[in-house]
Amino acid sequence: MLEARIAALEGQLSDAQTELQRAHERFELILTAPNEGIWEWDPRSKALNLSARLLSILGFPENTLHTTSDHWLAMVHPDDRDLYQTTLIDHLKGYSPHFEAQYRVRGPDGTYRWCLARGIARRDPKTGQAVRMVGSIGDTTILRESIGALQKSTLRFGLLLQMVPSAILAVNDQGLLEAFNRKAEALFDMAAGRVLGLPIEGLASQLLSPQEARRFDCAIATARSTRTLQEVVLRHPQKDGPGRVIAWTLAPLDGPLAPSAEPGGACGLIALGVDITHHANTEQTLQQARAELESIVAERTQALRQAIAEARQASEAKSAFLANMSHELRTPLNAIIGFSEMMAAEMFGSLGHAKYLDYAETIHNSGSHLLAIINDLLDVSKVEAGKFDLFPQHVDLQPLLADCHRLIGQRLKDAGLDCAFSLAEQIPQAYVDPLRLRQVMLNLLSNAIKFTPPGGQIGVCVRPGQKSQGGVCITVHDSGIGMDEDGLLRALEPFGQIDSPQARKHGGTGLGLPLSKSLIELHGGRFELTSSPGQGTQVHLWLPSQGQQATN
């Protein structure tokens, strides 16, 4: 019987200990969540007990500390001791229902941390004297630093609000003005003290024209009700001038930082006004200048169209003239060339004197030269008029170049020069007009012979084109007198000739290179000319290998 009673009591004791442990854990959790520790103080003996959590918060080893209130007072910052003691004594005397004070406590490293101490005294029922005090202490250092930073930020924001060169108005969710900076005072000609706390809608009607006030109030109402950014440009009147043009941006304030008075209700807003008077005046001036410019452009365009029409007529007249003249000149020239050739060959008998043979040959050569010039002029005219017809086909370059070499063979011999032809293996066929390519090659080889001194080198190199473009590349190079940059530009202009003794010696019309370049580009190819004085000249012809004829 006794053993059963003892076992029951032991079970009850175990349950009580378990419940006590749970209560202790709940109590520790409750104190840990707000980051606070417990203290207990006997006012009579001045014994002070600090919990491990409180010691940890202050940076001391986490063991319960038994100390005295005098020792604790020595740890309080000297500037905070009077407030701490006064607040504690008032509570001990019953002047306040509970003890609460914020002060700084020195940690083990010598630095001070802000603490918030709360407590309450248990009193003797008979005497009312405090016999025991318990409470908590939490570290508020970070909170105090945050509050200080917020205060500094608020101060800086206030200074910035006054320093910005734009007018700023702040409206709360009731539509009342809460901020009105100095720029706004100057713009509205009204002190902030007169308008703060007043409805924003009524302000506009007092300071703006009725039409502008309605526009301003409408933009504000829309921004607050729809919570969308609104922009409006207004003209603000001034006593001593035509007024200022202000661009207002109305930004609604809604959400956690500025909650509405009620769900779905109107919210506060920030109004930023930027003076764009100079910009508006400049824009007006620009509009006037634009109108004047458009008028001038229209006049010039009309004049240009007329000039283009006249130039087209002149070009057509030139083309017609050249076509007629070429026909009129070719007929007698062909007769001169033909008869002089017959005379030089003495087809109908001897001419008698040997001088007549020289004269006949001279007449033949001069006529042939003049006919070549006429043909070049006519070709250039057709190219410029866009009426030059090509008849491209797939051409094997080796026999074409061999034919060119044969045609210039005597000239090479007379000039004391040699021309080396180099063809790479597996050269694709070029898609060109063979007659015009032969004309280009003879022009280039003639120039090379003309500007290369005796003993120099002339060469023709044929190789496949670039992989990205395909086709064929023909390079004609010589070791002649060469040209500088200005000479290159002049050489590619119609009738352009470089100024050198060699050029003056041989003469020419200056049509060979420009015509050759135009013919290559008409094929859809590319013509590149490089040269250096005393280093010779290189001409690269990039020719298509299939139907890539230019449409221009």
Side-chain angles (χ1 to χ4, degrees), residues 241-427:
R244 312 296 297 176
V245 180
I246 307 298
W248 287 97
T249 301
L250 310 176
L253 297 177
D254 196 10
L257 296 180
S260 300
E262 57 185 38
C267 64
L269 62 81
I270 293 291
L272 175 68
V274 180
D275 191 339
I276 61 169
T277 305
H278 177 71
H279 174 74
N281 294 338
T282 302
E283 185 176 359
Q284 184 178 2
T285 303
L286 286 175
Q287 289 177 350
Q288 296 174 353
R290 187 181 298 113
E292 296 176 359
L293 182 59
E294 288 176 353
S295 176
I296 295 174
V297 169
E299 294 176 0
R300 298 290 176 85
T301 301
Q302 182 61 31
L304 181 59
R305 287 174 179 170
Q306 184 176 353
I308 291 174
E310 293 175 355
R312 185 178 292 112
Q313 293 176 359
S315 177
E316 292 175 353
K318 181 193 70 173
S319 298
F321 170 77
L322 288 175
N324 293 333
M325 288 301 297
S326 64
H327 174 72
E328 296 297 330
L329 291 174
R330 279 175 174 174
T331 300
L333 275 176
N334 285 330
I336 293 172
I337 293 171
F339 290 146
S340 62
E341 186 175 0
M342 292 173 60
M343 293 172 64
E346 295 182 320
M347 294 181 62
F348 299 106
S350 174
L351 297 180
H353 201 284
K355 280 289 186 181
Y356 291 146
L357 292 176
D358 293 337
Y359 294 158
E361 186 176 354
T362 300
I363 293 171
H364 180 272
N365 292 339
S366 298
S368 299
H369 179 65
L370 182 57
L371 182 60
I373 293 175
I374 292 173
N375 288 335
D376 285 348
L377 283 171
L378 187 59
D379 288 345
V380 169
S381 177
K382 288 182 179 179
V383 170
E384 291 178 351
K387 298 179 180 180
F388 197 96
D389 294 326
L390 293 177
F391 302 96
Q393 56 184 292
H394 292 285
V395 176
D396 189 353
L397 295 178
Q398 184 172 4
L400 187 145
L401 295 178
D403 186 40
C404 293
H405 186 260
R406 180 184 58 79
L407 292 175
I408 65 167
Q410 187 59 43
R411 294 189 59 188
L412 287 169
K413 183 177 179 181
D414 295 341
L417 300 170
D418 187 21
C419 182
F421 281 74
S422 173
L423 278 78
E425 296 182 358
Q426 298 180 349
I427 296 295

Side-chain angles (χ1 to χ4, degrees), residues 49-351:
N49 296 321
L50 306 177
S51 70
R53 179 62 183 164
L54 175 56
L55 294 173
S56 174
I57 292 173
L58 298 178
F60 290 96
E62 296 184 9
N63 295 316
T64 301
L65 176 66
H66 302 282
T67 183
T68 65
S69 55
D70 292 338
H71 182 262
W72 179 259
L73 182 62
M75 295 170 59
V76 176
H77 194 283
D79 295 342
D80 301 334
R81 288 173 187 170
D82 290 342
L83 175 63
Y84 166 73
Q85 288 183 300
T86 301
T87 307
L88 180 62
I89 292 172
D90 287 345
H91 178 64
L92 292 176
K93 290 182 177 181
Y95 297 156
S96 59
H98 61 273
F99 165 69
E100 181 174 329
Q102 287 199 56
Y103 52 89
R104 287 163 287 181
V105 177
R106 186 179 67 249
D109 58 353
T111 61
Y112 286 90
R113 302 190 66 81
W114 280 97
C115 296
L116 173 61
R118 297 186 181 95
I120 190 169
R122 186 171 68 83
R123 303 180 183 277
D124 188 315
K126 297 180 180 180
T127 63
Q129 183 179 5
V131 296
R132 184 185 180 199
M133 275 192 74
V134 294
S136 65
I137 291 180
D139 188 348
T140 61
T141 303
I142 297 178
L143 177 62
R144 297 276 301 203
E145 291 175 351
S146 300
I147 292 174
L150 179 60
Q151 291 174 344
K152 291 180 180 179
S153 176
T154 303
L155 178 60
R156 286 195 297 267
F157 176 76
L159 294 175
L160 180 63
L161 188 67
Q162 299 300 329
M163 292 173 60
V164 291
S166 302
I168 296 181
L169 313 179
V171 181
N172 62 18
D173 53 0
Q174 283 82 35
L176 305 179
L177 277 168
E178 289 188 339
F180 196 81
N181 69 347
R182 277 186 276 184
K183 196 67 177 180
E185 291 179 330
L187 178 63
F188 289 99
D189 193 22
M190 185 173 291
R194 293 180 54 191
V195 297
L196 291 178
L198 297 179
I200 182 65
E201 285 82 358
L203 177 67
S205 60
Q206 301 177 25
L207 305 176
L208 300 175
S209 66
Q211 181 180 1
E212 298 291 74
R214 284 193 297 271
R215 295 179 61 219
F216 194 36
D217 290 342
C218 180
I220 291 174
T222 303
R224 296 184 62 214
S225 61
T226 63
R227 293 169 173 79
T228 57
L229 192 72
Q230 299 293 315
E231 294 180 345
V232 61
V233 178
L234 305 174
R235 183 171 289 276
H236 290 246
Q238 284 187 324
K239 297 178 181 179
D240 55 349
R244 312 296 297 176
V245 180
I246 307 298
W248 287 97
T249 301
L250 310 176
L253 297 177
D254 196 10
L257 296 180
S260 300
E262 57 185 38
C267 64
L269 62 81
I270 293 291
L272 175 68
V274 180
D275 191 339
I276 61 169
T277 305
H278 177 71
H279 174 74
N281 294 338
T282 302
E283 185 176 359
Q284 184 178 2
T285 303
L286 286 175
Q287 289 177 350
Q288 296 174 353
R290 187 181 298 113
E292 296 176 359
L293 182 59
E294 288 176 353
S295 176
I296 295 174
V297 169
E299 294 176 0
R300 298 290 176 85
T301 301
Q302 182 61 31
L304 181 59
R305 287 174 179 170
Q306 184 176 353
I308 291 174
E310 293 175 355
R312 185 178 292 112
Q313 293 176 359
S315 177
E316 292 175 353
K318 181 193 70 173
S319 298
F321 170 77
L322 288 175
N324 293 333
M325 288 301 297
S326 64
H327 174 72
E328 296 297 330
L329 291 174
R330 279 175 174 174
T331 300
L333 275 176
N334 285 330
I336 293 172
I337 293 171
F339 290 146
S340 62
E341 186 175 0
M342 292 173 60
M343 293 172 64
E346 295 182 320
M347 294 181 62
F348 299 106
S350 174
L351 297 180

